Amino acid sequence: MDAARQTELLALAGKYLAGGGTGLFLLPPELNLVVARGEGSRVWDVSGREYIDYHLSSGPVLLGHAHPAVTRAVEAQLPLGTTYFFLNEPEIRLAQRIVEAVPCADVVHYTGSGTEATFYALRVARAWSGRNKVLKFEGAWHGMHDYNLWGTVPSKPSAYPHSTPDSVGVPAVTGDTVLVTPFNETEAAVAMIEKHAHELAAVVVEPLQRVLQPEPGFLEAIREVTRKHRIVLIFDEIVTGFRIAWGGAQEKYGVVPDIACYGKAVSGGFPLAVIAGNGDVMSVLDARNRPKSEVVWATNTLNGNPVCAAAGVAALDVLSQPGIYEHLRHIGSRLREGIVASGTKHGFAVQAPGEDAVFGIRFTDRKPLRTWMDLTTADKDLGWRWAIELMKRGLLVNPNEKFYISIQHTDADVDQTLGIVDEAFAALRKG
Ligand SMILES: Cc1ncc(COP(=O)(O)O)c(C=O)c1O
């Protein structure tokens, strides 16, 4: 218990970290915290406050904090060295594990973050197809590089296929190569792909776009038209991979892309990401079979890091055990139903779109929620204030974003959470 120490650390963060934190995620000063430790479904801040964690570091902590299997694997690797650049056994074992699990994968390529994975995946697609442009869907989040930050969070419909950059500092020229169209609008998407097929290297899609499920037939239609025109279909499975099913969205929704990107859960909370794909498209990364001038450059110092890969192998071993995905579905569905029931009881129009292992809570009466524009009807101010009430009462959440479930969340956690949720809705109703 050290409230003074937390206050001191927050002051130092404010002084020495750009923006006082690690990015765009900012909490009001009275709720700001410095995490001291995590265990299972819980974290404790430096002042000694305990939280049930539904943020899970934005997803990687699918096994819960400090899972003993991951800790053991990392502890076994550490005395052997932390990075070599040369091949190491954990990275080879993890690659094998991923290829065996992922329907589209013959081989994998390692990167350091999800952003790098989607960035290089687009380069792979350009090299393979000999074309330049890429198509993404409005509201899709593929990371922070310049080709992704178009049409990610617009407040009004874009002038499709054009869109606006999300961040200052993104060069306008990158936007000339990025086409944007609404998710789940199958006819419009197919028509745009057909029209631009001659210049399209890739279509990149989050199969579960943030919290929007794909409508039946949408992913299938995108698959068909991309195959027809030799356009690389990229699934961004950085959220869905090993989470909504062992085989991710490809297994859950029954559509197989050419390549897919993995991050977050794939390495048990360590910084590693993966491009997994079919041997034909991925051959552009293969310096054994082509001159260096024709190989895609995607080599980073820490790619295939043995500590991260050892954590990944351990994490996937745990996730492959029977009952894991049933548990995630059970906990997630209880929460989704309970939160909606509580909100409705207190007179709020509230919905819980997504999948059980990862879902959102949105304050809107728009039904069904199909597109990014549908999601923009949600009252974000209400969502923010509700999240603050939850945090005050001991839940760690990402306001207006996602609830992530870990395999260590229990029915008792759900009971306690739903009690807090009910109090938070009541406090919101009172004003
Ligand atoms: C679907 C998706 N793709 C890519 C990324 C980027 O991954 P990273 O934050 O590791 O760069 C994210 C991050 O949240 C994501 O949700």
Side-chain angles (χ1 to χ4, degrees):
M1 288 284 236
D2 199 340
R5 190 171 149 87
Q6 176 152 290
T7 306
E8 180 204 341
L9 286 170
L10 286 170
L12 290 173
K15 185 167 174 192
Y16 292 115
L17 294 174
T22 38
L24 290 171
F25 184 71
L26 290 176
L27 289 171
E30 67 280 12
L31 284 177
N32 212 0
L33 59 117
V34 178
V35 175
R37 71 182 185 94
E39 190 183 328
S41 61
R42 313 251 162 171
V43 298
W44 288 261
D45 72 13
V46 172
S47 80
R49 267 203 95 190
E50 180 176 337
Y51 298 84
I52 307 178
D53 187 4
Y54 293 106
H55 195 302
L56 297 184
S57 187
S58 195
V61 191
L62 177 59
L63 267 63
H65 292 278
H67 191 287
V70 175
T71 304
R72 268 197 307 275
V74 169
E75 281 176 352
Q77 177 59 40
L78 284 177
L80 307 178
T82 52
T83 182
Y84 323 114
F85 202 87
F86 291 92
L87 284 171
N88 61 79
E89 181 164 351
E91 73 168 319
I92 298 166
R93 298 267 178 226
L94 181 59
Q96 180 182 8
R97 243 356 193 142
I98 295 169
V99 167
E100 284 168 1
V102 168
C104 78
D106 295 321
V107 289
V108 308
H109 178 80
Y110 288 112
T111 70
S113 69
T115 296
E116 286 171 49
T118 63
F119 180 62
Y120 291 137
L122 296 180
R123 186 178 291 166
V124 163
R126 290 192 201 95
W128 183 80
S129 66
R131 303 172 190 147
N132 252 345
K133 296 194 177 176
V134 300
L135 181 142
K136 66 167 284 203
F137 293 91
E138 188 171 61
W141 186 293
H142 301 298
M144 294 290 107
H145 63 76
D146 290 343
Y147 298 95
N148 284 340
L149 291 179
W150 291 88
T152 306
V153 289
S155 52
K156 53 182 191 323
S158 305
Y160 316 116
H162 304 290
S163 59
T164 48
D166 303 293
S167 170
V168 289
V170 170
V173 286
T174 56
D176 298 340
T177 66
V178 181
L179 315 183
V180 172
T181 192
F183 185 73
N184 265 338
E185 296 287 6
T186 305
E187 260 182 50
V190 169
M192 191 180 289
I193 293 166
E194 292 275 6
K195 183 170 172 201
H196 293 273
H198 62 285
E199 54 186 353
L200 269 183
V203 170
V204 56
V205 59
E206 273 189 273
L208 170 74
Q209 189 181 285
R210 316 314 293 150
V211 293
L212 297 170
Q213 288 195 346
E215 287 189 345
F218 174 68
L219 294 174
E220 289 84 346
I222 302 301
R223 174 64 286 185
E224 199 182 313
V225 68
T226 48
R227 186 177 286 125
K228 178 174 150 201
H229 292 289
R230 244 183 133 257
I231 297 164
V232 178
L233 178 61
I234 303 170
F235 272 13
D236 179 344
E237 294 235 38
I238 285 162
V239 165
T240 52
F242 297 97
R243 187 187 312 275
I244 64 171
W246 170 247
Q250 297 174 48
E251 178 187 315
K252 177 101 189 177
Y253 303 134
V255 176
V256 178
D258 299 302
I259 55 183
C261 299
Y262 292 81
K264 300 201 192 262
V266 79
S267 49
F270 281 73
L272 173 148
V274 170
I275 308 170
N278 74 49
D280 178 19
V281 177
M282 296 290 279
S283 68
V284 297
L285 287 156
D286 191 341
R288 291 171 301 187
N289 298 325
R290 54 182 67 216
K292 239 187 186 159
S293 58
E294 289 174 25
V295 175
V296 165
W297 284 29
T299 304
N300 297 95
T301 308
L302 295 173
N303 282 1
N305 176 271
V307 180
C308 303
V313 173
L316 297 195
D317 280 350
V318 172
L319 292 171
S320 67
Q321 288 164 13
I324 290 286
Y325 292 94
E326 288 78 359
H327 179 75
L328 289 170
R329 278 199 293 276
H330 167 72
I331 296 292
S333 63
R334 274 199 67 202
L335 281 168
R336 292 170 80 189
E337 282 162 26
I339 294 171
V340 170
S342 170
T344 309
K345 183 183 87 183
H346 290 282
F348 293 102
V350 65
Q351 300 180 56
E355 295 285 353
D356 292 330
V358 51
F359 60 88
I361 297 298
R362 297 291 182 271
F363 289 80
T364 176
D365 54 12
R366 172 76 63 100
K367 279 190 182 168
L369 294 172
R370 301 174 54 247
T371 66
W372 170 257
M373 282 304 139
D374 290 334
L375 285 183
T376 62
T377 62
D379 186 333
K380 286 190 107 173
D381 178 55
L382 209 48
W384 172 263
R385 285 191 284 126
W386 181 66
I388 297 300
E389 295 299 334
L390 297 178
M391 291 201 54
K392 279 191 210 163
R393 292 167 174 79
L395 300 188
L396 210 52
V397 296
N398 195 350
N400 292 311
E401 289 290 340
K402 294 171 180 166
F403 277 65
Y404 280 106
I405 309 305
S406 84
I407 65 170
Q408 294 195 62
H409 282 95
T410 62
D411 275 310
D413 288 333
V414 176
D415 294 339
Q416 190 181 342
T417 299
L418 291 179
I420 291 173
V421 160
D422 208 57
E423 285 174 24
F425 278 125
L428 210 57
R429 178 51 64 210
K430 257 178 141 179

